[in-house]
Amino acid sequence: MPTYFYVQRNAKFNTTNIAIPFQVARLNIGGAFDLSSGIFTAPRTGTYFFSFIGLPEFLTSSTVSQMLIDLFWNGNEVGRGVSEEANTLGGQNEQLSIQSTLRLNAGDKIWVQIISMTAGMFLYDSAGSHHNHFSGWLLEEELSLS
Amino acid sequence: MPTYFYVQRNAKFNTTNIAIPFQVARLNIGGAFDLSSGIFTAPRTGTYFFSFIGLPEFLTSSTVSQMLIDLFWNGNEVGRGVSEEANTLGGQNEQLSIQSTLRLNAGDKIWVQIISMTAGMFLYDSAGSHHNHFSGWLLEEELSLS
Amino acid sequence: MPTYFYVQRNAKFNTTNIAIPFQVARLNIGGAFDLSSGIFTAPRTGTYFFSFIGLPEFLTSSTVSQMLIDLFWNGNEVGRGVSEEANTLGGQNEQLSIQSTLRLNAGDKIWVQIISMTAGMFLYDSAGSHHNHFSGWLLEEELSLS
């Protein structure tokens, strides 16, 4: 059974330490991505690819501001995307990205989460033009003969 | 029939609101990407992946400068990549990226386009070292029994 | 034979003009990636995808600082990722990325390498949270009947 998702957001988001939810499924073949919780549940054991691009927005600051977003696998951090700037002006955005190839067991859960950010920052997005992108696929199912 | 492309540019580019053309095809298996127009035409109905990384160049400016590049699907915007900086110096570059997984019909067209940019900016590139990257593949053909 | 790797680093790195080595293999199906040398050797002739995200760290500087990382194929540059900032503060990081789809012959070698950087810069990483990501797969083997 093929598994492919590509989801987007319609509005800004700034809650830390929960899975980032999405509103638009451009594609959700196999139905493994749950938009409202932001959680992907692996339907089969196998090798998967995940790609996240986010767009943090900064405030005016002369010091270093940052947003850190991690890809999570059953509650464990897999890898981090970082957006960090100094001498920022209000409304300035900078993309961050994470890409991971993982061997998941059926039932494993994957999501992205804001780990920390400078106060006042948020992921920018709008219903007209989508700026946050999360894709995932089953690359190859692992077949067992047992 | 397999479909894979990976194209690059040889020189800078700064025209808005047309498909970004490319000069170098590292790979164009299936011949679905047209370099001079910058347009990919889906040879089959199925699920495709597209990845674009661009390198906008900034001018000296104390205010916020930006370049926005959208992935287009038959003339509709799918998603946006953003490069935005304040307090820039001339010759400073910052990458932007877009990645999308889409279910296309045979004949559908995909391209990337500069939507808007601060006056004087451009996509930097050179014939020696390639800084703009556009890849796409057919992940899985959709077979119909009708 | 399936071929997939996803490797990460445990610590910072600042050596130019050698392949970037890695310490952690989240995945190395087929065993084609050698962590200590940082070199991937194609086990079969076919079409491959490579994705690298790195996290350069900047020093305090009012002028433009940069790190350039190239994807290499048997010693030839395929494409470049760029991280460049002006008016930086110490400890500020900015991601760069490269993605390439290539048709390799069996035995071809692929790696990423710092081409040049402003003195004092480095790729930031830590054993706790991984900030540098390198993935690759065999998308499709090329079968010959000869």
Side-chain angles (χ1 to χ4, degrees):
Chain A
M1 195 182 77
T3 303
Y4 302 99
F5 74 86
Y6 173 34
V7 297
Q8 300 178 318
R9 286 191 52 80
N10 269 340
K12 67 184 193 178
F13 183 77
N14 68 353
T15 309
T16 55
N17 297 319
I18 65 160
I20 299 172
F22 293 85
Q23 288 83 44
V24 180
R26 288 278 187 177
L27 199 78
N28 195 10
I29 298 174
F33 193 90
D34 183 67
L35 285 173
S36 62
S37 69
I39 293 175
F40 171 84
T41 304
R44 312 272 172 141
T45 295
T47 304
Y48 289 80
F49 174 63
F50 299 95
S51 163
F52 174 72
I53 300 174
L55 187 63
E57 180 158 326
F58 292 83
L59 304 177
T60 300
S61 170
S62 58
T63 58
V64 174
S65 303
Q66 66 167 197
M67 187 184 290
L68 309 177
I69 295 187
D70 281 8
L71 185 78
F72 275 83
W73 176 9
N74 291 340
N76 299 306
E77 188 261 3
V78 172
R80 181 162 292 176
V82 174
S83 189
E84 213 162 44
E85 289 282 354
N87 298 307
T88 48
L89 293 178
Q92 180 182 342
N93 300 295
E94 186 188 55
Q95 293 185 314
L96 61 76
S97 55
I98 315 169
Q99 281 163 47
S100 299
T101 311
L102 299 170
R103 189 257 182 212
L104 304 184
N105 287 314
D108 281 359
K109 294 181 187 307
I110 296 286
W111 66 90
V112 284
Q113 187 169 311
I114 304 174
I115 291 304
S116 76
M117 60 180 188
T118 301
M121 289 185 68
F122 54 89
L123 281 177
Y124 173 77
D125 221 323
S126 71
S129 299
H130 300 286
H131 300 73
N132 295 275
H133 312 271
F134 191 20
S135 272
W137 328 315
L138 173 55
L139 287 163
E140 184 164 326
E141 188 175 345
E142 194 169 298
L143 299 173
S144 163
L145 301 179
S146 65
Chain B
M1 196 181 76
T3 304
Y4 300 98
F5 74 86
Y6 172 37
V7 297
Q8 300 178 318
R9 285 192 52 81
N10 268 341
K12 66 183 192 177
F13 183 77
N14 68 353
T15 309
T16 55
N17 295 319
I18 66 160
I20 299 171
F22 294 84
Q23 287 83 44
V24 180
R26 288 278 186 176
L27 199 78
N28 194 10
I29 299 174
F33 194 90
D34 183 67
L35 284 173
S36 61
S37 70
I39 293 176
F40 171 83
T41 305
R44 312 274 172 139
T45 295
T47 304
Y48 289 80
F49 174 63
F50 299 96
S51 162
F52 174 72
I53 300 175
L55 187 63
E57 179 158 328
F58 291 83
L59 304 177
T60 299
S61 169
S62 57
T63 58
V64 174
S65 302
Q66 66 167 197
M67 187 185 289
L68 309 177
I69 294 186
D70 281 8
L71 185 78
F72 275 83
W73 176 9
N74 291 340
N76 299 306
E77 186 261 3
V78 172
R80 180 162 294 177
V82 174
S83 190
E84 213 163 44
E85 289 283 354
N87 297 307
T88 48
L89 293 178
Q92 180 182 342
N93 300 296
E94 186 188 55
Q95 292 185 314
L96 60 76
S97 56
I98 316 170
Q99 281 164 47
S100 299
T101 312
L102 298 170
R103 189 256 181 213
L104 304 184
N105 288 314
D108 281 359
K109 295 182 186 307
I110 296 286
W111 67 89
V112 284
Q113 187 169 311
I114 303 174
I115 291 305
S116 75
M117 60 180 188
T118 301
M121 290 185 66
F122 54 88
L123 282 178
Y124 173 77
D125 221 323
S126 71
S129 300
H130 300 286
H131 300 75
N132 294 275
H133 312 271
F134 191 20
S135 271
W137 328 315
L138 172 56
L139 287 163
E140 184 164 324
E141 189 175 346
E142 194 169 297
L143 299 174
S144 162
L145 301 180
S146 66
Chain C
M1 197 181 76
T3 303
Y4 301 100
F5 74 85
Y6 172 36
V7 296
Q8 300 178 319
R9 286 192 50 81
N10 270 340
K12 67 184 191 177
F13 183 78
N14 68 353
T15 308
T16 56
N17 296 320
I18 65 159
I20 300 172
F22 292 84
Q23 288 82 43
V24 180
R26 289 278 188 177
L27 200 78
N28 194 10
I29 298 175
F33 193 90
D34 183 67
L35 284 173
S36 62
S37 70
I39 293 176
F40 171 84
T41 304
R44 312 274 171 138
T45 295
T47 304
Y48 290 80
F49 174 63
F50 298 96
S51 162
F52 174 71
I53 300 174
L55 188 63
E57 179 157 327
F58 292 83
L59 304 177
T60 300
S61 170
S62 58
T63 58
V64 174
S65 303
Q66 65 168 197
M67 186 184 289
L68 309 178
I69 294 186
D70 281 9
L71 185 78
F72 275 83
W73 175 10
N74 291 339
N76 299 306
E77 188 261 3
V78 173
R80 181 161 293 177
V82 174
S83 190
E84 213 162 43
E85 289 282 354
N87 297 306
T88 48
L89 293 178
Q92 181 182 343
N93 300 297
E94 186 187 56
Q95 293 185 313
L96 61 75
S97 55
I98 316 170
Q99 280 163 48
S100 298
T101 311
L102 299 170
R103 190 257 183 213
L104 304 184
N105 288 314
D108 281 359
K109 294 182 187 307
I110 296 285
W111 67 90
V112 284
Q113 188 170 309
I114 303 174
I115 291 305
S116 76
M117 61 180 188
T118 301
M121 290 186 66
F122 54 89
L123 281 178
Y124 174 77
D125 220 324
S126 72
S129 299
H130 301 286
H131 300 74
N132 295 276
H133 311 271
F134 191 21
S135 271
W137 328 315
L138 173 54
L139 286 162
E140 185 165 323
E141 189 176 345
E142 196 169 296
L143 299 174
S144 162
L145 301 180
S146 65

